[in-house]
Amino acid sequence: SCPVGSYCVGSGAATACPAGTYNNLRGQSNSTACLPCPAGTVNELTGQSLLACAFCPVGTVSAIVGANALSLCRPCQPGHY
């Protein structure tokens, strides 16, 4: 069956979920199985599970759902963490 982090259309080969998304389930058959990483996390890799949606580094944050580049984690505003 189709592996975690991907989807398989028909009986075709696995297509990796894009960076910024994840899929925790095997055997998925379309791209809607790839869910965006939550705000405050980032995933720069393709074909990943939710574990790859890592929190932004300390002192930074991202309000973007589906962030796919570490550069989207911006410094926190003064007085926030």
Side-chain angles (χ1 to χ4, degrees):
S1 84
C2 205
V4 167
S6 65
Y7 62 95
C8 300
V9 177
S11 60
T15 300
C17 289
T21 68
Y22 70 94
N23 171 21
N24 284 338
L25 304 173
R26 295 183 188 276
Q28 300 303 296
S29 60
N30 61 54
S31 63
T32 60
C34 301
L35 303 174
C37 289
T41 67
V42 62
N43 173 16
E44 296 184 298
L45 305 173
T46 61
Q48 301 297 307
S49 71
L50 179 59
L51 294 175
C53 298
F55 287 109
C56 289
V58 173
T60 66
V61 68
S62 175
I64 298 170
V65 173
N68 60 5
L70 199 56
S71 61
L72 296 173
C73 295
R74 304 289 188 192
C76 294
Q77 294 182 359
H80 295 83
Y81 60 94

